[in-house]
């Protein structure tokens, strides 16, 4: 028999070593985790903690905060202590903020040792401090900040240039016996990014943080990230993901979770199976699907809900779902677990679907 979709996803997973970002395992056979980054001033502790709480509620598992100033570094102890999810400090250039982040109890640090070596060679001291504290480090190579030496050597930002840069950065820590690393090689072009991660995956066993950098506003960024992450995750590459959108970070988390659900890499929550509508539709399917989706957002039990516009495919799909409606003639046939339980006028479809969803949740013992 064919394996189930969840088994397929697990069967193809690349073997990576496991690191711990606070209590969240990344790599090995750990579930692929979703992360995001706050957009508040990190020094504004209250605003940052509020945003972290929103991200946590949306399903974010790891959060990163930027630390560009001493005030931001000073805010880290409170943020790390009060955040419900592990906090990663994102640091460029200043080694003293790396030490501050480790002392503050941050779960991990994102820093590129190449930057630090350039200005103030404290890579060994960082490796020791992070190693002693059990704090992992992400090396984050970005197309926009690639070393000039590599740009010259490769004639631009090629996948190989990104990989060579990442592995060189890793070697700077490896020289000091520190290997508690994860890596990202981000590029704004999914084609370059996919190839870079494929090459990197073949050349090391560090866990990989997937990202399409500067992916763009909500619509374009969602598509770019979904295409790139989808290609890699379907090949078993990727241990944690960050969708980058020019939009509130909660949107990044929703997209990230949906990508993982779509690939069977995490249990599905709400799954709306709705038809695109066509000339046969006998109700306004688009509005109906949007209203049902909005009404069931955050529903506490996993549900597949079919919203179908007519009787051609409608009853078939509706029967396959936990709950469904097949519309026709200004009416909706409501299905639960394959049985038509009633037919209601179009105006009562949404409220009936909601009432039935609540009944299913109650039967499962969830309020
Ligand atoms: Fe068209 Fe009916 Fe199929 Fe919807 S279910 S796309 S209305 S044929």
């Amino acid at each position: 028999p064919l394996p189930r979709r969840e088994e397929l996803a697990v069967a193809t997973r690349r073997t990576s070593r496991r690191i711990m970002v606070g209590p969240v395992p990344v790599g090995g056979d750990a579930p692929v985790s979703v992360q995001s980054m706050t957009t508040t001033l990190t020094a504004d502790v209250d605003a940052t903690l509020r945003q972290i709480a929103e991200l946590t509620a949306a399903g974010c598992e790891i959060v990163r905060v930027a630390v560009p100033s001493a005030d931001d570094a000073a805010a880290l102890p409170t943020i790390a202590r009060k955040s419900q999810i592990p906090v990663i400090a994102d640091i460029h250039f200043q080694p003293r903020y790396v030490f501050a982040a480790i002392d503050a109890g941050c779960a991990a640090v994102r820093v590129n040792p190449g930057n630090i070596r350039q200005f103030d060679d404290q890579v060994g001291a960082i490796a020791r401090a992070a190693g002693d504290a059990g704090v992992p480090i992400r090396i984050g190579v970005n197309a926009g900040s690639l070393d000039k030496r590599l740009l010259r050597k490769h004639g631009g930002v090629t996948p190989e240039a990104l990989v060579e840069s990442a592995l060189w950065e890793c070697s700077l820590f490896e020289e000091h016996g520190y290997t508690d690393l994860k890596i990202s090689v981000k590029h704004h072009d999914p084609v370059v990014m996919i190839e870079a991660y494929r090459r990197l995956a073949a050349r090391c066993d560090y866990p990989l943080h997937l990202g399409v950098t500067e992916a763009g506003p909500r619509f374009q960024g969602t598509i770019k990230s979904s295409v790139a992450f989808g290609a890699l995750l379907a090949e078993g590459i990727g241990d944690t993901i960050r969708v980058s959108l020019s939009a509130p970070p909660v949107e990044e988390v929703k997209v990230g979770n949906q990508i993982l659900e779509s690939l069977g890499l995490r249990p599905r929550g709400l799954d709306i199976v709705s038809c695109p509508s066509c000339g046969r539709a006998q109700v306004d399917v688009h509005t109906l699907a949007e209203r049902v989706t909005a009404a069931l957002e955050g529903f506490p039990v996993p549900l597949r809900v079919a919203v179908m516009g007519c009787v051609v495919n409608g009853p078939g799909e509706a029967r396959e779902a936990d709950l469904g409606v097949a519309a026709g003639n200004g009416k909706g046939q409501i299905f639960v677990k394959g049985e038509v339980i009633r037919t209601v006028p179009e105006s009562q479809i949404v409220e009936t679907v909601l009432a039935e969803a609540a009944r299913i949740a109650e039967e499962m013992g969830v309020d």
Side-chain angles (χ1 to χ4, degrees):
L2 280 173
R4 294 182 313 126
R5 61 200 291 271
E6 289 78 7
E7 289 166 351
L8 272 173
V10 170
T12 52
R13 188 93 182 264
R14 161 183 172 260
T15 308
S16 61
R17 66 175 79 182
R18 171 182 284 214
I19 65 166
M20 293 301 294
V21 178
V24 178
V26 174
D29 57 1
V32 179
S33 48
V34 169
Q35 50 180 292
S36 184
M37 190 165 182
T38 50
T39 55
T40 51
L41 280 178
T42 304
D44 186 343
V45 174
D46 289 344
T48 303
L49 284 170
R50 247 194 326 273
Q51 196 171 56
I52 292 176
E54 285 167 20
L55 290 168
T56 308
C60 185
E61 292 159 312
I62 298 171
V63 67
R64 187 156 45 107
V65 300
V67 188
S69 77
D71 286 347
D72 299 314
L76 291 176
T78 312
I79 293 172
R81 193 174 69 251
K82 293 196 172 167
S83 170
Q84 305 90 327
I85 52 177
V87 174
I88 301 180
D90 189 285
I91 295 162
H92 287 280
F93 308 119
Q94 300 99 332
R96 64 185 189 281
Y97 299 161
V98 177
F99 298 115
I102 293 170
D103 287 346
C106 288
V109 176
R110 182 269 173 117
V111 68
N112 291 355
N115 288 336
I116 281 169
R117 206 177 72 144
Q118 247 174 302
F119 301 101
D120 180 3
D121 194 359
Q122 295 216 44
V123 177
I126 290 174
R128 270 191 304 282
D132 289 349
V135 167
I137 290 177
R138 171 161 69 91
I139 288 175
V141 171
N142 261 25
S145 53
L146 206 62
D147 199 79
K148 292 203 177 48
R149 178 178 56 87
L150 289 169
L151 285 175
R152 273 196 304 276
K153 177 177 169 191
H154 293 277
V157 185
T158 62
E160 188 55 30
L162 291 166
V163 171
E164 191 177 326
S165 173
L167 294 177
W168 173 71
E169 298 269 0
C170 288
S171 75
L172 297 178
F173 279 132
E174 288 162 351
E175 281 170 12
H176 297 281
Y178 179 89
T179 56
D180 201 7
L181 298 167
K182 68 185 163 101
I183 315 179
S184 60
V185 279
K186 299 190 182 182
H187 195 283
H188 63 268
D189 180 346
V191 175
V192 178
M193 176 271 193
I194 289 169
E195 182 58 20
Y197 276 98
R198 279 183 181 146
R199 288 175 183 228
L200 185 59
R203 302 244 286 272
C204 70
D205 69 350
Y206 290 121
L208 301 183
H209 162 123
L210 300 187
V212 176
T213 190
E214 291 106 31
R218 192 182 320 225
F219 179 73
Q220 180 187 293
T222 298
I223 304 282
K224 277 190 175 183
S225 297
S226 306
V227 167
F229 295 5
L232 289 165
L233 290 167
E235 293 172 18
I237 297 171
D239 300 287
T240 182
I241 61 173
R242 191 263 170 120
V243 174
S244 300
L245 300 177
S246 306
V250 161
E251 299 301 318
E252 300 183 345
V253 172
K254 287 185 189 166
V255 173
N257 278 313
Q258 191 66 52
I259 291 172
L260 297 183
E261 283 181 28
S262 301
L263 284 165
L265 286 165
R266 70 174 40 187
R268 69 180 165 84
L270 178 65
D271 188 14
I272 301 283
V273 181
S274 59
C275 81
S277 188
C278 71
R280 290 184 203 92
Q282 291 164 342
V283 294
D284 177 355
V285 180
H286 297 179
T287 305
L288 188 56
E290 270 171 22
R291 286 179 61 206
V292 169
T293 306
L296 288 172
E297 195 181 335
F299 199 68
V301 298
L303 273 187
R304 173 177 288 191
V305 181
V307 180
M308 307 300 287
C310 80
V311 292
V312 173
N313 292 321
E317 283 287 0
R319 272 194 204 100
E320 291 293 308
D322 299 312
L323 174 61
V325 56
N329 261 342
K331 296 196 178 94
Q333 279 186 320
I334 308 291
F335 289 79
V336 174
K337 308 274 182 215
E339 301 292 328
V340 181
I341 55 152
R342 80 180 63 120
T343 301
V344 298
E346 185 176 348
S347 60
Q348 289 173 24
I349 290 176
V350 176
E351 66 191 73
T352 311
V353 166
L354 268 187
E356 287 306 321
R359 205 174 50 77
I360 292 173
E362 200 181 310
E363 275 172 19
M364 293 170 76
V366 182
D367 284 334

